[in-house]
Amino acid sequence: MQRFLFLAVMAIVCVTASYAATGEEEKLFNGKDLSNWDFVIDGNSVPADQVFSVQDGAIFIKGQPFGYMYTKKKYRNYTLNVEWSWVDEPSNSGIFVIIENTTNPFPNAIEIQLGAGNAGDFVCLGGSNLAEYKAPEGAARPRFPVVKKREPSSEKPTGEWNKAKIVVHEGTIIVYVNDVLQNVGANAVKEGHIGLQSEGKGINFRNVTLIPE
C-alpha cells in the first residue's frame, strides 16, 4: 500500500511538472511597497501598516495580531517562489494559495505551513479540503485539518533565508522547501488569491515571484 501511494504521488508530480511555467515572471512584491496587496486583520483591531511593512527591501510581518496580506488578483496555474526568514527566533506563519474568499481572519484557502519544524505541511483553512486528508475513523473533522509533509524538516537555521517553490495546476499543489519535495495535495478549487500570514512573531519575506503556465 505504501509503495502504491508513493507511486501515485510521484505520478501526480510528474504530470503536474509537465505543465511548465513558461509565462513572463511577475513580481508580486516590488521590493519597495505593498501596493499589489490587500490586508485582513483579525477584528480590524489595528491599522494594517502596523502589521505589514517594507523594511530593507523585504516584507516584514509582525506576527500579531492574526491576519494576512493577499494579492489583489486571483491566479490559477503557476509556479510561486517565496523566500522567508525569521527575525529573532523561529515562530509561525504560512503561505496561502487558492484563497477563495477573503474572510477574517482565516479564509477558505490552503495554507503551506511555515511554522518552525513543520514547513511544508498543508493546513485546510476556512472549510477548504484536500483529497489527501483522511480523518481518523470515528473522529470529528478538526477545524484546521493537516496533511503532514513527506520528509524530515528541510528548513534552515534562524537568520538564514529559506526558499519555497509551490506549483499549482488545476487545484493540485506541489511544495518544495529548499529544493526538497515536501508535499502534494489536490483541491477542488482551482483559482484564488495568494497570501502571506501574520501569526506568531516577526518574519521577513522577499523575492515573491510568480510564473504563469
Side-chain angles (χ1 to χ4, degrees):
M1 178 61 73
Q2 290 298 323
R3 178 174 174 78
F4 172 80
L5 291 174
F6 173 78
L7 292 174
V9 168
M10 293 312 298
I12 293 171
V13 172
C14 291
V15 170
T16 305
S18 69
Y19 296 95
T22 57
E24 183 176 352
E25 181 181 83
E26 178 180 350
K27 291 185 177 181
L28 301 184
F29 170 53
N30 61 19
K32 299 177 182 179
D33 57 47
L34 301 178
S35 56
N36 293 335
W37 302 78
D38 286 325
F39 310 91
V40 171
I41 300 293
D42 188 14
N44 296 315
S45 56
V46 299
D49 60 8
Q50 292 185 17
V51 181
F52 306 97
S53 61
V54 177
Q55 298 183 12
D56 299 322
I59 299 169
F60 170 69
I61 299 181
K62 187 177 179 180
Q64 291 294 333
F66 284 111
Y68 59 96
M69 52 188 285
Y70 64 94
T71 57
K72 292 183 177 181
K73 292 171 54 178
K74 288 186 174 182
Y75 297 90
R76 187 163 181 137
N77 298 324
Y78 55 85
T79 296
L80 174 68
N81 292 291
V82 181
E83 294 181 12
W84 83 93
S85 69
W86 302 112
V87 175
D88 295 315
E89 59 183 285
S91 186
N92 201 357
S93 186
I95 300 169
F96 297 168
V97 296
I98 318 181
I99 300 174
E100 190 174 10
N101 53 66
T102 53
T103 53
N104 186 4
F106 295 106
N108 186 302
I110 301 300
E111 176 185 353
I112 291 86
Q113 176 67 262
L114 300 184
N118 296 307
D121 286 2
F122 286 132
V123 184
C124 301
L125 303 177
S128 65
N129 195 39
L130 291 170
E132 290 71 15
Y133 175 72
K134 305 298 180 186
E137 186 174 352
R141 175 186 166 94
R143 184 183 179 192
F144 301 119
V146 173
V147 177
K148 293 297 294 181
K149 59 186 174 61
R150 296 176 51 83
E151 304 293 340
S153 173
S154 52
E155 301 160 50
K156 296 183 178 180
T158 302
E160 296 187 24
W161 286 95
N162 295 276
K163 178 176 66 175
K165 176 182 176 181
I166 303 164
V167 180
V168 177
H169 177 78
E170 295 303 294
T172 295
I173 307 164
I174 301 175
V175 176
Y176 299 84
V177 176
N178 294 320
D179 299 318
V180 175
L181 174 62
Q182 286 289 9
N183 225 333
V184 179
N187 186 1
V189 181
K190 305 182 188 311
E191 180 180 75
H193 303 278
I194 294 167
L196 303 174
Q197 188 185 36
S198 173
E199 180 184 9
K201 298 183 179 180
I203 187 172
N204 288 320
F205 291 95
R206 70 179 186 185
N207 295 331
V208 184
T209 63
L210 179 145
I211 305 174
E213 286 183 8

